[in-house]
Amino acid sequence: MKAWSLSRVEIGRLFRNRLTWLAIAVTGLSPAAGLWLYRPLASSSEAAYSVSLTGAYLGNPALAGGIGSAVIFALLTALECSRSHRSRVDLLTDAMLSPLCMGFCRIGALSLAALTAQAVTLIAWMPFTVLQTGSVFRGWLYVAVYLSFMLPSTLFAILFTASAYQISRRLDLTLVLFAAFALLSMTAWSESWLLRWINPPVYSMSDDFGNTRLLQSVLYNRLFWLLLLCGLCAVSFLCVRRYGKGLFGSAARNVRKVYLPLLVVVCLLSGYAVYTYQPFLDHSKAEIDMDAYYNIAYNEYVFFDAIHVEARPNLSTGRFYGTALYSLHNTSGKPQTISLYVNPGYRVSSVTANQTSVAFRDCNDDDQNTKTVEVDLPAEEEIELEVAYGGFPQEWNLQELSQGSLEISRDYLYLANQNFAPLPKDFVWETQEPPPYTAEIDLPKGMTPVLFAEGTVEQAGENPDGTVHWKLTDSGQSVILYAGDYISHHIDAAGIDVAFYYSAKHERVMRECNVDSVLKRVFDYCTEHYGPLSFYGDGTMKLIEICNVGGGYAAAGASVMGEESFNEQGLKDPLKGAGGSEVLAHEIVHQWWGLGNMFAPESYTDVWSAEGLTVYTTYRMMKEQYGEAYAKQNYVDVWQKQVDDYYQNFYVRHPEYLERLPEQYRADIVNSLSSVRRYCEMPLKILKAEQLVGGEEEMDAILAKLFTRELDPTYPYLTYQDFLSACALTEEDLDLA
């Protein structure tokens, strides 16, 4: 029987099997586990499980579906592969049909069943996903996520299980091997993004900005495992039993089919190359030597007066190209060698000095997401150094593939420091003020660039292809550039021109929250009660929403906040405020408590954190605006109820039982309990301290003194002891029992 005819027979037989349709139906239901049972995406809140809408209703279900469908089809594959052997008809079928051809057709039929199951899943879950994600739903992303997260896991399970059975010819051993293979992906290999075949590394997903680089890394992961498992499958076909011979006898016979060993070699070598030369992570040293990184021998004869960059991002491929022009001053009268920091994924293609090519060397010394390029300068005094560079930017291997660390796509652009242009490594500027740093970039309409800190952007016309030409102006040796569908609001708050940049997808929510008045109220209140922020610019400040999960950072003239601070789920967090506008106020108050004053990294036992002072400050603002009764009902009473429930919790009263729980359950309980302590118990302690020190005015004076205190650079954190000492209280004084 020819292969095509055999395939049709096998497909027909498989789809007449009720077990196949049961597997398809259960696969269609498996994403439901991602809604409450298996939620691998990291939460942005301690108070409740909070992720983006895309993450909650697309990412988690697709990842859960991948695990569920892989297990289901592994079982189906094992049963189908062992069917003829279990029924003892394999001797007859092997006499009539080529066992090699039969194995190919069986895997093909099972793969078609997996594709059918995936189509059913896509159709079944689309209405629910559209309904839950609303305005942030994107059809192409929905299809891309399921086809890259879920479908490959199913196909890989089929390939591995079929291969394991063809090698071992034992159903029990095959299932044990698959279980071990799946568990390795979820445990021992969980720290290596390329080795996770059943649960690809996805830590967060964006509603507002780009998921393109995330999808690229997942697809690369899938390519690696496809090559590896195709190689394993080819090995298993060498082991298919023939003519009553055993494993090795059959392999000696099958190896005569030259295409099989050739396929094994090609697939495994290709997989090795894909693993070795992956483009996403650099090869920085695991040991961080800060002294070597910062204690650089500077060239005392070479200085730069200005930097200009022609930036050319390729938003379709995620690659970046540019030409950087450095105005240099060589005071030695002799040839000199200088060094530049470059992203490890970039390659310098040419270097010219005053339009003459000069020698340069790529040191390939990856360290802390940089590598060194050395350039030989001529003896001329004034030099225009032009460096052409580009490639696929790599992320720091120690940070793995954290969302928001790099993005070049039509949805979002984030390029900082050496990712945007080569940085001067061992030469600086001569003047007291930093020299000008200018750049030009073309972006699609609807994509607005924003420079961190005090840099400015200016639209400089449109190009024939419909893109917009932008000029960027800053100072120093580097820039941090964001670009997306930004809307900006300028608000006069506390005498500062605050420019708030957020995604256009939040426009309705921000309008409902009355963002202008909330911003003004927070800045006016906190400035009056605690003092101005230390990172204002020259009478201005930028507040920028970015594609990031957790926290933010600030410097002169700007502060950034992750998008989770503004998503609709986050704005309904009951422990942060009584409504969306109050939760928004809470997030902005973090500019004072969390950024303006840093807090040491917390452990689950710490009650002291930025959240306590932020919740207390939000309560005081609402009390001033809506009155004492409103503040008590929506804040103090909520805190008290949560704390009362906390102290009645079984695991709080009997911590010895908590230690006996499985690690995941223990972690979930600990996180839930610790959030109550930070968001509810700590504000109650601060409220009690307020009463003990003499009232609100006295507490404001204490907090203002703490906020404006002189920082110890070796330990710049605001500690609980600092607070207690400022209040002249002890921990026992604030005991709520």
Side-chain angles (χ1 to χ4, degrees):
M1 185 180 291
K2 293 184 178 180
W4 172 242
S5 299
L6 182 57
S7 294
R8 285 192 301 167
V9 171
E10 183 65 16
I11 291 169
R13 186 202 60 76
L14 185 65
F15 277 85
R16 285 192 297 272
N17 188 343
R18 293 180 181 178
L19 195 61
T20 303
W21 287 105
L22 177 62
I24 291 172
V26 176
T27 295
L29 294 173
S30 60
L35 299 176
W36 69 87
L37 185 62
Y38 176 70
R39 300 186 295 190
L41 269 66
S43 174
S44 61
S45 171
E46 295 173 341
Y49 184 75
S50 177
V51 296
S52 66
L53 293 173
T54 302
Y57 299 109
L58 178 56
N60 279 339
L63 290 168
I67 294 176
S69 63
V71 172
I72 292 162
F73 271 85
L75 291 171
L76 180 63
T77 302
L79 292 173
E80 286 296 317
C81 289
S82 64
R83 179 176 52 84
S84 60
H85 187 66
R86 284 184 288 114
S87 57
R88 300 185 184 279
V89 298
D90 52 326
L91 292 177
L92 294 175
T93 57
D94 288 352
M96 295 184 294
L97 303 170
S98 166
L100 291 175
C101 185
M102 189 64 204
F104 279 121
C105 294
R106 185 184 297 116
I107 291 175
L110 287 163
S111 299
L112 183 60
L115 289 170
T116 303
Q118 188 63 71
V120 169
T121 304
L122 282 169
I123 294 169
W125 283 90
M126 179 175 277
F128 173 80
T129 308
V130 171
L131 182 65
Q132 295 297 327
T133 57
S135 61
V136 303
F137 177 82
R138 285 168 279 182
W140 72 267
L141 182 63
Y142 173 81
V143 174
V145 165
Y146 271 104
L147 294 187
S148 60
F149 291 9
M150 183 175 175
L151 178 60
S153 295
T154 315
L155 298 177
F156 295 162
I158 292 171
L159 284 173
F160 180 86
T161 307
S163 301
Y165 183 81
Q166 289 181 160
I167 294 172
S168 68
R169 288 293 290 270
R170 287 184 54 182
L171 177 62
D172 54 352
L173 182 56
T174 297
L175 294 177
V176 168
L177 288 172
F178 173 79
F181 185 47
L183 288 173
L184 280 172
S185 178
M186 302 185 71
T187 56
W189 294 343
S190 62
E191 299 300 318
S192 177
W193 69 281
L194 266 179
L195 295 182
R196 291 170 55 170
W197 70 271
I198 198 171
N199 58 329
V202 182
Y203 305 107
S204 63
M205 295 190 69
S206 172
D207 284 339
D208 305 334
F209 300 116
N211 292 291
T212 301
R213 191 174 175 94
L214 167 66
L215 290 174
Q216 289 173 335
S217 68
V218 171
L219 288 173
Y220 195 88
N221 168 285
R222 287 3 203 152
L223 172 63
F224 167 69
W225 277 108
L226 178 63
L227 291 169
L228 218 60
L229 290 173
C230 282
L232 176 64
C233 193
V235 170
S236 75
F237 277 108
L238 289 173
C239 302
V240 169
R241 308 304 191 270
R242 303 190 69 187
Y243 308 114
K245 296 180 181 294
L247 173 65
F248 296 106
S250 298
R253 183 83 182 186
N254 291 329
V255 79
R256 299 177 186 178
K257 297 184 179 295
V258 179
Y259 65 86
L260 283 177
L262 182 62
L263 186 61
V264 170
V265 172
V266 170
C267 287
L268 295 183
L269 286 180
S270 298
Y272 172 79
V274 166
Y275 184 88
T276 304
Y277 301 108
Q278 58 80 25
F280 291 91
L281 299 179
D282 67 11
H283 300 89
S284 293
K285 294 172 288 190
E287 302 79 18
I288 300 177
D289 188 350
M290 299 305 293
D291 290 336
Y293 189 79
Y294 287 107
N295 295 333
I296 299 169
Y298 283 89
N299 189 313
E300 58 185 12
Y301 301 109
V302 179
F303 305 92
F304 74 92
D305 302 323
I307 299 176
H308 180 77
V309 178
E310 296 284 347
R312 301 183 300 277
N314 188 323
L315 304 182
S316 299
T317 63
R319 302 176 77 83
F320 184 82
Y321 300 93
T323 303
L325 185 65
Y326 304 85
S327 298
L328 302 181
H329 187 53
N330 180 1
T331 63
S332 69
K334 299 177 182 179
Q336 294 290 329
T337 297
I338 60 171
S339 300
L340 299 165
Y341 279 134
V342 184
N343 180 284
Y346 293 157
R347 184 179 71 86
V348 174
S349 56
S350 67
V351 180
T352 63
N354 294 335
Q355 301 183 346
T356 301
S357 295
V358 296
F360 64 92
R361 293 165 297 281
D362 188 334
C363 298
N364 289 313
D365 55 346
D366 296 11
D367 186 26
Q368 300 186 53
N369 202 217
T370 65
K371 67 176 179 180
T372 303
V373 173
E374 296 179 347
V375 178
D376 294 334
L377 299 179
E380 301 170 41
E381 184 174 356
E382 302 297 331
I383 301 172
E384 291 294 315
L385 185 72
E386 185 176 282
V387 180
Y389 62 97
F392 193 81
Q394 293 181 342
E395 299 176 61
W396 194 359
N397 57 358
L398 297 187
Q399 295 179 332
E400 283 286 316
L401 295 168
S402 54
Q403 179 77 351
S405 57
L406 263 177
E407 185 77 25
I408 302 175
S409 70
R410 295 188 179 278
D411 294 317
Y412 187 61
L413 184 70
Y414 172 47
L415 291 165
N417 305 318
Q418 75 277 8
N419 303 329
F420 185 76
L423 295 177
K425 176 181 178 179
D426 58 2
F427 59 102
V428 295
W429 57 86
E430 278 186 293
T431 58
Q432 186 173 359
E433 294 296 323
Y437 189 120
T438 57
E440 298 183 44
I441 189 171
D442 294 330
L443 296 173
K445 285 184 179 179
M447 201 172 193
T448 303
V450 181
L451 283 177
F452 184 70
E454 298 182 278
T456 60
V457 300
E458 177 187 358
Q459 186 172 331
E462 294 188 11
N463 300 311
D465 61 357
T467 59
V468 179
H469 188 69
W470 295 89
K471 289 187 176 181
L472 318 178
T473 304
D474 208 334
S475 61
Q477 64 177 6
S478 65
V479 297
I480 298 175
L481 173 67
Y482 306 98
D485 61 340
Y486 281 115
I487 290 177
S488 65
H489 278 238
H490 284 262
I491 301 139
D492 182 11
I496 299 294
D497 177 21
V498 180
F500 185 22
Y501 294 88
Y502 58 87
S503 170
K505 298 178 184 67
H506 285 314
E507 186 173 15
R508 177 185 58 82
V509 174
M510 291 300 183
R511 188 168 57 249
E512 291 174 357
C513 291
N514 200 358
V515 60
D516 290 12
S517 65
V518 170
L519 264 175
K520 179 173 175 57
R521 186 163 64 248
V522 170
F523 273 80
D524 287 344
Y525 180 91
C526 292
T527 302
E528 178 185 349
H529 287 74
Y530 309 130
L533 293 171
S534 60
F535 41 81
Y536 287 142
D538 185 14
T540 63
M541 178 186 170
K542 297 174 190 171
L543 192 59
I544 310 167
E545 177 196 358
I546 64 170
C547 178
N548 192 30
V549 173
Y553 54 89
S559 175
V560 301
M561 304 170 69
E563 65 176 83
E564 82 280 356
S565 298
F566 309 110
N567 64 38
E568 293 194 47
Q569 277 189 312
L571 293 175
K572 295 175 183 176
D573 194 331
L575 297 189
K576 293 182 179 180
S581 61
E582 296 177 35
V583 176
L584 179 60
H586 170 102
E587 299 296 353
I588 298 169
V589 169
H590 272 303
Q591 299 295 310
W592 276 260
W593 307 119
L595 288 177
N597 266 232
M598 295 186 295
F599 291 72
E602 306 147 7
S603 72
Y604 69 89
T605 58
D606 292 333
V607 66
W608 178 255
S609 74
E611 297 301 343
L613 283 170
T614 301
V615 172
Y616 171 79
T617 300
T618 308
Y619 150 75
R620 287 283 308 280
M621 288 174 55
M622 297 308 118
K623 181 179 179 182
E624 183 178 285
Q625 183 174 3
Y626 299 117
E628 184 173 353
Y630 178 90
K632 182 177 185 300
Q633 177 184 350
N634 291 283
Y635 289 87
V636 179
D637 291 350
V638 172
W639 303 340
Q640 192 63 59
K641 182 181 184 306
Q642 292 284 339
V643 171
D644 290 343
D645 291 345
Y646 168 81
Y647 283 110
Q648 290 300 314
N649 185 280
F650 174 81
Y651 293 109
V652 173
R653 291 183 290 114
H654 302 283
E656 64 274 13
Y657 291 102
L658 181 63
E659 297 303 320
R660 300 181 183 180
L661 292 177
E663 182 179 353
Q664 184 58 51
Y665 290 102
R666 185 168 68 247
D668 290 342
I669 292 172
V670 165
N671 287 337
S672 175
L673 296 176
S674 65
S675 68
V676 171
R677 300 199 70 198
R678 293 169 185 164
Y679 284 86
C680 301
E681 183 181 3
M682 195 63 230
L684 283 176
K685 287 178 176 286
I686 297 172
L687 192 61
K688 184 174 183 179
E690 171 196 301
Q691 298 165 354
L692 293 175
V693 299
E696 293 178 351
E697 290 186 8
E698 286 75 10
M699 178 55 69
D700 285 346
I702 290 171
L703 294 179
K705 185 176 179 181
L706 288 172
F707 181 76
T708 57
R709 76 195 189 284
E710 184 176 348
L711 297 181
D712 179 358
T714 62
Y715 195 83
Y717 304 115
L718 179 59
T719 67
Y720 192 25
Q721 189 56 52
D722 291 336
F723 174 75
L724 292 171
S725 299
C727 296
L729 298 171
T730 64
E731 289 190 38
E732 291 73 19
D733 292 331
L734 300 186
D735 191 347
L736 299 178

